[in-house]
Amino acid sequence: MTTTDSNLVGFPLRRPGQPYPPAEYEGLRKREGLVRSTLPTGAPVWLVTRHEEVRAVLTDPRISSNPSHPGFPRPAKTGGVPAQDQVPGWFVALDPPEHTRFRKTLIPEFTVRRIREMRPVIQAIVDERIDAMLAGGNSADLISDFALPVPSLVISRLLGVPKADCDFFEAQTRVLVTLTSTDGQREAATKALLRYLNRLIALKTKRPGDDLMSRLLADGKLTPQELSGVGMLLLIAGHETTANNIGLGAVTLLMNPQWIGDDRAVEELLRYYSVADLVAFRVAVEDVEIGGQLIKAGEGIVPLVAAANHDETVFECPHQFDPSRSARHHVAFGYGVHQCLGQNLVRVEMELAYRSLFERIPTLELAVPVEELPLKYDGVLFGLHALPVRW
Amino acid sequence: MVRISVDIDSCIGAGQCVLSAPEVFDQDDDGIVMVLDGEPAEPVAEDVRLAGRICPSQAITVHED
């Protein structure tokens, strides 16, 4: 049996009072088959909420990530995944085998070993930001002063983007990841970012550095045009998601101080918040059956990774924040060939950020009650708009 | 005992196996999975089973012999 909810609450669902995955997900997981819902665009879509079925959707070759297929869903009235004619090289919007060329070209830059080698660089960036906070008095906004600049500076360093340009790409990214941005605003931000990346590529062609963009240029597997799209994707993906994770995780650790200093908290935080709940939009390109439900070719599918990561048949007491559990099989980074390329970088950034933050500022505390923290409901990614702290 | 087989063409270099069982898996210079020990003993076998279960491209098969 299929339940149709034409008014299943506008996306994203509210999280009243606390930044946990929406309570409605529990009910949705218990339904038979998939859940028929409507996006704010008016488009009907299949919601997938259980762990096993989310993994099935994300690995089925009959289900596509390419927005040029008819019926591909968009999260809001504007925006969504750009197609190749808008941003060439935006390879998360490609299926194999086209996707494979991009992914294989980029893998060497993000291996576990390469990321491990970056630890001293990441640590230095974390330390600099903490120095700046301490020099600024005894209070701060942990989002704008720490959670956002740390990953921005790290991804800039990795790509070879000058530090001084972080503010520029942070501002453009904010437009692209805000659900309420207009088409005009998005177009302008996309153009500005691509123009910037093209200039950067011209610069790296003349004067190569020890950075990802220079290496990929020399490697020649991607065209300069594709490389600017890849650079834009990495810049955006590299700082927004991590910033949200660092912020939400800091709150959680302040509320559960017994887990401060335990690196296992990182994996549990990734599972617990699943900030990229509304990212993996898909469309069926052939008829396919998932969870006993026939999905017809051309129908949109939204696998909800936060719902899957709170599936009580897979994670015991899922709403409990418990770093001692084994959470590695979560799907916070997605699953299938599109699983987050930068996941090992995110893990290291979170680990070093928390460790240094609580070691160096042991008296850190929230400056407002947790209920008053401004939750990000207008974003593609879940997070906090601000996190006032003091020490 | 467990036996491991990998499909290097499917590997997408996420590195989940290296995090799960670093004694058994590594990534080559291209970031593709390498098996350092094809027949690991317990208790490492448990980590290998996890690696097989979470590999995002299902490139790792763990055979129980």
Side-chain angles (χ1 to χ4, degrees):
Chain A
M1 192 196 80
T2 305
T3 312
T4 301
D5 274 73
S6 54
N7 296 312
L8 186 96
V9 193
F11 272 88
L13 297 175
R14 299 280 138 172
R15 308 182 182 207
Q18 39 190 352
Y20 308 147
E24 290 95 326
Y25 282 174
E26 193 177 337
L28 299 185
R29 267 193 307 270
K30 295 206 166 111
R31 293 192 195 170
E32 265 181 66
L34 305 182
V35 178
R36 197 67 170 148
S37 182
T38 311
L39 291 175
T41 54
V45 76
W46 293 107
L47 297 182
V48 187
T49 56
R50 287 181 289 265
H51 190 263
E52 187 187 342
E53 286 149 18
V54 164
R55 293 202 347 162
V57 165
L58 294 176
T59 47
D60 197 306
R62 295 164 296 179
I63 295 175
S64 171
S65 300
N66 192 327
S68 63
H69 287 298
F72 195 88
R74 304 202 309 173
K77 290 207 169 61
T78 70
V81 183
Q84 292 302 297
D85 53 349
Q86 292 168 286
V87 185
W90 194 270
F91 65 99
V92 291
L94 290 173
D95 299 314
E98 291 79 15
H99 166 267
T100 315
R101 178 170 66 96
F102 287 93
R103 177 90 190 195
K104 296 236 164 170
T105 304
L106 284 159
I107 294 171
E109 298 287 341
F110 293 91
T111 61
V112 172
R113 189 180 310 126
R114 283 295 281 280
I115 300 302
R116 198 181 300 133
E117 286 162 7
M118 282 187 71
R119 288 176 82 100
V121 171
I122 300 169
Q123 183 66 58
I125 288 170
V126 166
D127 285 334
E128 271 169 38
R129 296 316 306 171
I130 296 176
D131 290 342
M133 283 198 329
L134 291 172
N138 60 357
S139 66
D141 170 16
L142 206 62
I143 298 296
S144 60
D145 293 331
F146 185 73
L148 201 51
V150 166
S152 287
L153 290 163
V154 170
I155 197 71
S156 300
R157 180 71 70 87
L158 179 63
L159 262 65
V161 168
K163 215 173 176 176
D165 297 339
C166 280
D167 288 348
F168 162 78
F169 74 74
E170 271 175 28
Q172 306 306 322
T173 299
R174 204 158 308 128
V175 173
L176 294 176
V177 299
T178 301
L179 292 170
T180 48
S181 298
T182 65
D183 278 332
Q185 288 169 325
R186 269 170 213 289
E187 210 174 300
T190 302
K191 277 195 182 143
L193 278 166
L194 285 178
R195 213 165 34 233
Y196 174 79
L197 264 311
N198 285 333
R199 269 207 312 273
L200 184 75
I201 286 167
L203 186 80
K204 300 285 175 195
T205 309
K206 250 189 277 174
R207 258 173 299 167
D210 179 19
D211 54 64
L212 181 149
M213 294 299 271
S214 299
R215 281 190 291 273
L216 292 190
L217 260 172
D219 176 57
K221 286 190 191 127
L222 305 178
T223 66
Q225 208 190 9
E226 288 170 340
L227 192 52
S228 64
V230 165
M232 176 173 157
L233 174 60
L234 296 180
L235 274 183
I236 296 174
H239 77 277
E240 263 293 318
T241 46
T242 312
N244 289 314
N245 271 312
I246 290 177
L248 290 165
V251 176
T252 309
L253 290 170
L254 285 171
M255 292 165 69
N256 299 272
Q258 71 275 26
W259 294 112
I260 289 176
D262 191 325
D263 292 339
R264 291 177 299 173
V266 170
E267 210 63 40
E268 174 68 345
L269 286 166
L270 289 166
R271 176 197 75 85
Y272 195 72
Y273 288 109
S274 306
V275 300
D277 189 30
L278 288 173
V279 168
F281 285 63
R282 297 289 189 268
V283 68
V285 288
E286 287 175 40
D287 290 359
V288 50
E289 197 182 300
I290 298 283
Q293 174 64 53
L294 174 70
I295 302 174
K296 293 204 184 107
E299 290 182 341
I301 309 167
V302 182
L304 296 163
V305 298
N309 284 338
H310 286 253
D311 185 334
E312 40 288 277
T313 66
V314 178
F315 300 98
E316 211 177 310
C317 302
H319 295 303
Q320 218 161 346
F321 169 70
D322 177 10
S324 74
R325 77 168 83 232
S326 171
R328 288 285 316 287
H329 52 303
H330 68 68
V331 287
F333 289 119
Y335 194 65
V337 296
H338 291 285
Q339 192 181 59
C340 181
L341 178 68
Q343 57 179 293
N344 297 311
L345 179 59
V346 178
R347 288 187 172 102
V348 171
E349 288 179 273
M350 289 171 72
E351 178 200 320
L352 298 182
Y354 300 136
R355 201 187 284 168
S356 300
L357 192 63
F358 294 112
E359 259 174 32
R360 295 194 52 198
I361 319 181
T363 57
L364 191 75
E365 60 179 19
L366 290 178
V368 298
V370 66
E371 299 77 27
E372 289 173 23
L373 291 173
L375 307 185
K376 215 183 256 183
Y377 284 126
D378 56 353
V380 174
L381 303 161
F382 184 64
L384 300 165
H385 282 297
L387 176 49
V389 291
R390 64 186 169 216
W391 55 87
Chain B
M1 194 168 89
V2 296
R3 227 168 9 90
I4 304 161
S5 54
V6 293
D7 174 7
I8 55 170
D9 290 329
S10 315
C11 176
I12 55 149
Q16 295 260 33
C17 53
V18 185
L19 291 188
S20 305
E23 307 91 336
V24 174
F25 298 102
D26 200 354
Q27 287 168 285
D28 66 16
D29 289 341
D30 292 327
I32 302 300
V33 61
M34 287 196 300
V35 179
L36 306 175
D37 177 1
E39 295 182 355
E42 304 286 348
V44 176
E46 203 42 55
D47 300 334
V48 170
R49 286 184 195 103
L50 174 68
R53 193 165 150 224
I54 68 175
C55 172
S57 59
Q58 294 157 318
I60 297 171
T61 311
V62 180
H63 310 269
E64 302 281 345
D65 288 342

